[in-house]
Amino acid sequence: MCGIVAYVGHREAYPVILKGLKRLEYRGYDSAGIALNDSKLSVYKKQGKVARLEESLVGVELKATIGIGHTRWATHGEPSDRNAHPHLSASGRLAMIHNGIIENYASLKLELEKKGYAFKSDTDTEVLLNFIDDILIRNQCSLEEAVRIALKRVVGAYVIVLMDEEDPSTLIAARKGSPLVIGVGENEHFLASDASPIIEYTKQVVYVNDYELAIIKGNELILKNLGNEIVTPFVQQLDLELAAIEKGGYDHFMLKEIFEQPKTIFDCLRGRLDIANQDIIMSGVQHYMEELKTANRIIIIACGTSWHAGLVAEYIIEELCRIPVEVEYASEFRYRNPIVNKGDVLFAISQSGETADTLVAIERAKEQGAIIFGILNVVGSSIARISHAGAYTHAGPEIGVASTKAFTAQLVVLAMIALKIAKEKKSISNARFMHLMHELNAVPEKVKEILASTEKIKAVASKHAAASSFLFLGRGYNFPIALEGALKLKEISYIHAEGYPAAEMKHGPIALVDENLPVLFVATKDAYHEKVVSNMQEINARKGKLIAVVTAGDHSVLSLTGDLIEVPEADEVIAPILNVVPLQLLSYYIGVERGLDVDRPRNLAKSVTVE
Ligand code: M6R
């Protein structure tokens, strides 16, 4: 969602901010803008891509060494030049960018209107800005003080960054609920929603916490809490290389990330899967082993693709650990007065670690005493900081909006956690434990084999790219993979797709089947295989266009008519990690064939930082 970038130091701010905005494009946005402070505030903003803003500024002299930039994902007010950030305050003295939602903006707006304020945009941001402006002017105080007073009245989530025309060497920033990273350079500072705009300049960063306010000059960074007490900044070294956020020769980030999976899965297993000592090394899990082993229930909360990883985990944990598992959409959990009992452990799964619904759901569960275990990709993210323990997925930065490598890494981590608990609980035999360890170890090579059949999958994609609807079916461990396949296709190709448990087909969806409907089965060999093959026969009988992901060498599917995509044989517990890969490729190539921007699908944001 909205991306923010700001710079103060000795360089010209415009090129730094522009490049930063380009790096944040993956978050999803509909307009972009920049404000510079050369002892006079200049604001430039445009609906549409950053490139459009850049074109409009060709030939304009932009020499300031302090500035703020923003990519906006519309919440309050349609995408337009007028609603784009930065906004200028009514007095003309302040410029501000904002990521988040000011929930009580309507009452603040009314208050300001009574004082004679008029608004140029439909945004909640302009309301907060003028609220600050009003305090600044009436109280004759510093901007820092005005921001502090204003934020005590604000309900909602925000990162804000402000510039004051009368103080052209200072940025003021504050955070609650949305991410803010400050890069610390030599007499310069960089601010951004994530580290990607910063790493080419410095690897020293400070993650600002909720309710903190930062006063930033080129050579000075002061952090304070809202009570005006100084907080010592915790400077961390980023473990991230520039290459990780560049396309590296691939046409799209999504394709690069699909092809990275043998490596990301290997990285995820590395140092954890200790086959020689028959052990899984995960310190976070070990630390809470007693609570995990004796848990009455594991509640998994997540959104989107991460929720699908949670569903796979439900099958694995119940099977291997014999602990009841409930999987919840974070957005539902947070509002429905959930029952969390002593002895419940909550797993929060999130690639970004910033998803607003997941963050709030965790807070609800924490209030009720649950232990929070985060399965996260982004190190240092907001969820990482509020979890009691957890495990990182080590998939590296995921830039494509459609989650691919983060999903397979989540599945690997969840399988390892389940195996570790099962071993400690002795709910599986040592032979089964070792078999699954070897199966996990073999996953990177097997993913490579699947990627070697990309051309075949591309041909299948081409054949079905004009479809208007798709059905994805699977059973058991493969049911969540059917859901994930449908989600991927919707996101990337804008084709309507539904995922269903294969056995539910006869209870309704079969009515959709005709000679135009592609029906994709995730049908690798497992406990339900024969039944799923019968379902596929039923599709053949009704002339639906059958596509199936099947186990290599499976003779039981040879009589079927349709497109069969083979994957290497694997234990059913591990198979979902492999089976999703052809579905990722299928969606990718269908999206490309339809001429769509697969890395930045319309309306979507990479991390959903507002509810
Ligand atoms: O960062 P998170 O894992 O918390 O994000 C959750 C969803 O927003 C995300 O998985 C979304 O569904 C992806 N676009 C799926 O490809």
Side-chain angles (χ1 to χ4, degrees):
M1 295 203 144
C2 300
I4 62 151
V5 190
Y7 175 79
V8 54
H10 47 81
R11 304 171 200 248
E12 284 183 9
Y14 172 67
V16 175
I17 294 171
L18 187 75
K19 201 167 191 188
L21 292 180
K22 288 182 181 169
R23 295 244 186 255
L24 292 179
E25 281 187 297
Y26 80 97
R27 293 171 68 88
Y29 72 106
D30 47 60
S31 43
I34 290 178
L36 300 170
N37 192 355
D38 221 350
S39 299
K40 184 180 169 341
L41 290 177
S42 317
V43 178
Y44 310 96
K45 48 193 198 174
K46 281 265 171 281
Q47 183 190 345
K49 298 285 179 201
V50 175
R52 193 160 170 253
L53 173 72
E54 185 179 13
E55 272 163 35
S56 72
L57 292 175
V58 173
V60 180
E61 196 166 316
L62 305 162
K63 295 280 181 214
T65 56
I66 179 169
I68 57 182
H70 190 264
T71 48
R72 173 174 188 254
W73 190 89
T75 56
H76 296 63
E78 57 173 13
S80 65
D81 291 359
R82 192 169 67 83
N83 286 331
H85 301 206
H87 290 282
L88 264 185
S89 66
S91 70
R93 191 176 144 180
L94 305 178
M96 185 172 100
I97 50 176
H98 166 219
N99 173 14
I101 288 184
I102 307 303
E103 288 170 18
N104 59 338
Y105 85 101
S107 61
L108 297 177
K109 189 171 185 180
L110 213 63
E111 222 175 277
L112 290 167
E113 278 169 344
K114 282 187 190 149
K115 290 180 180 172
Y117 274 85
F119 293 86
K120 295 183 223 98
S121 77
D122 309 315
T123 63
D124 51 341
T125 304
E126 195 191 2
V127 174
L128 175 57
L129 173 61
N130 280 330
F131 190 57
I132 296 169
D133 187 79
D134 184 56
I135 296 169
L136 180 73
I137 288 159
R138 279 174 201 274
N139 293 9
Q140 296 284 304
C141 58
S142 66
L143 176 57
E144 176 198 330
E145 186 58 22
V147 169
R148 198 177 1 260
I149 295 169
L151 292 183
K152 287 185 182 151
R153 289 275 313 275
V154 163
V155 180
Y158 53 79
V159 160
I160 52 171
V161 187
L162 292 109
M163 291 191 303
D164 181 353
E165 192 169 74
E166 293 183 10
D167 181 4
S169 61
T170 309
L171 295 169
I172 304 281
R175 159 197 167 138
K176 190 208 149 203
S178 296
L180 175 62
V181 190
I182 301 179
V184 183
E186 282 288 317
N187 290 323
E188 57 183 349
H189 286 99
F190 306 82
L191 282 71
S193 298
D194 63 43
S196 60
I198 297 176
I199 48 167
E200 64 191 282
Y201 307 104
T202 176
K203 291 200 171 170
Q204 306 285 314
V205 295
V206 173
Y207 290 94
V208 178
N209 290 310
D210 278 351
Y211 303 108
E212 283 179 356
L213 195 136
I215 303 109
I216 311 134
K217 297 179 188 289
N219 59 357
E220 190 179 37
L221 164 64
I222 299 170
L223 273 188
K224 291 185 176 178
N225 60 25
L226 290 187
N228 201 20
E229 293 160 335
I230 301 262
V231 177
T232 309
F234 175 50
V235 183
Q236 302 183 42
Q237 176 81 10
L238 276 178
D239 181 19
L240 181 65
E241 296 305 325
L242 195 55
I245 56 162
E246 299 198 319
K247 274 193 225 156
Y250 285 90
D251 287 344
H252 297 97
F253 281 109
M254 182 176 175
L255 191 62
K256 178 189 177 215
E257 287 157 6
I258 292 171
F259 272 81
E260 275 175 351
Q261 289 177 111
K263 178 176 182 311
T264 52
I265 293 169
F266 179 79
D267 288 346
C268 184
L269 294 168
R270 192 175 42 189
R272 288 168 163 170
L273 209 60
D274 186 356
I275 292 187
N277 292 309
Q278 308 197 354
D279 200 4
I280 290 175
I281 299 156
M282 296 179 103
S283 56
V285 182
Q286 192 59 54
H287 192 76
Y288 280 94
M289 185 48 84
E290 205 44 46
E291 288 83 350
L292 287 163
K293 246 169 50 176
T294 56
N296 292 329
R297 190 172 57 143
I298 292 176
I299 304 169
I300 301 181
I301 54 161
C303 301
T305 288
S306 297
W307 185 77
H308 296 152
L311 283 184
V312 176
E314 178 181 22
Y315 283 85
I316 302 180
I317 295 170
E318 291 200 341
E319 164 91 25
L320 302 183
C321 312
R322 307 309 294 154
I323 300 172
V325 178
E326 274 174 37
V327 189
E328 298 251 10
Y329 283 117
S331 52
E332 291 297 315
F333 183 88
R334 65 180 282 192
Y335 282 116
R336 68 168 183 77
N337 197 9
I339 299 165
V340 180
N341 293 318
K342 196 165 179 296
D344 288 345
V345 176
L346 186 129
F347 283 13
I349 308 175
S350 174
Q351 185 286 127
S352 62
E354 300 294 346
T355 300
D357 283 323
T358 311
L359 263 166
V360 179
I362 292 171
E363 278 160 11
R364 296 280 167 282
K366 244 181 145 177
E367 282 158 17
Q368 297 185 53
I371 293 168
I372 312 295
F373 208 86
I375 289 106
L376 308 165
N377 194 38
V378 177
V379 177
S381 55
S382 300
I383 296 180
R385 280 178 292 140
I386 62 167
S387 301
H388 293 107
Y392 281 118
T393 49
H394 299 309
E398 191 177 66
I399 309 285
V401 163
S403 190
T404 53
K405 63 175 182 172
F407 178 67
T408 47
Q410 287 167 345
L411 296 183
V412 170
V413 164
L414 288 160
M416 285 192 289
I417 293 173
L419 271 173
K420 189 164 174 66
I421 300 172
K423 182 178 188 241
E424 290 278 335
K425 245 190 120 173
K426 300 195 173 36
S427 49
I428 56 171
S429 68
N430 196 46
R432 178 100 177 108
F433 174 78
M434 285 313 292
H435 168 70
L436 289 172
M437 292 268 279
H438 283 289
E439 284 281 296
L440 269 175
N441 201 31
V443 168
E445 281 308 311
K446 290 183 181 177
V447 172
K448 270 189 203 162
E449 282 180 49
I450 297 170
L451 293 173
S453 57
T454 294
E455 282 308 312
K456 166 144 200 219
I457 298 167
K458 192 173 171 181
V460 177
S462 172
K463 199 164 150 188
H464 298 284
S468 57
S469 190
F470 256 78
L471 196 55
F472 285 75
L473 301 170
R475 234 180 138 162
Y477 291 94
N478 281 329
F479 162 53
I481 300 306
L483 293 180
E484 174 60 7
L487 177 66
K488 261 338 44 118
L489 189 70
K490 275 184 269 211
E491 285 187 293
I492 299 307
S493 70
Y494 313 152
I495 295 175
H496 168 253
E498 283 194 53
Y500 256 93
E504 278 293 299
M505 182 180 86
K506 290 211 217 33
H507 298 279
I510 200 163
L512 298 169
V513 178
D514 63 13
E515 65 282 7
N516 298 315
L517 184 77
V519 184
L520 189 148
F521 280 85
V522 190
T524 46
K525 281 202 215 150
D526 56 18
Y528 320 90
H529 187 55
E530 278 176 20
K531 294 180 198 305
V532 176
V533 173
S534 302
N535 293 146
M536 292 196 277
Q537 299 284 11
E538 287 155 9
I539 297 299
N540 267 180
R542 284 160 185 81
K543 301 198 166 33
K545 293 177 173 173
L546 182 79
I547 310 167
V549 175
V550 298
T551 307
D554 177 3
H555 295 293
S556 65
V557 295
L558 293 181
S559 62
L560 295 165
T561 314
D563 296 307
L564 303 183
I565 300 167
E566 291 191 338
V567 293
E569 185 153 17
D571 189 286
E572 64 179 2
V573 172
I574 305 302
I577 312 169
L578 303 176
N579 296 351
V580 74
V581 177
L583 306 190
Q584 297 168 345
L585 285 167
L586 189 75
S587 300
Y588 171 78
Y589 283 112
I590 290 181
V592 169
E593 179 100 9
R594 290 166 77 102
L596 299 171
D597 185 352
V598 293
D599 279 339
R600 287 168 298 189
R602 69 183 176 205
N603 303 333
L604 290 178
K606 181 65 185 165
S607 45
V608 182
T609 53
V610 297
E611 66 168 298

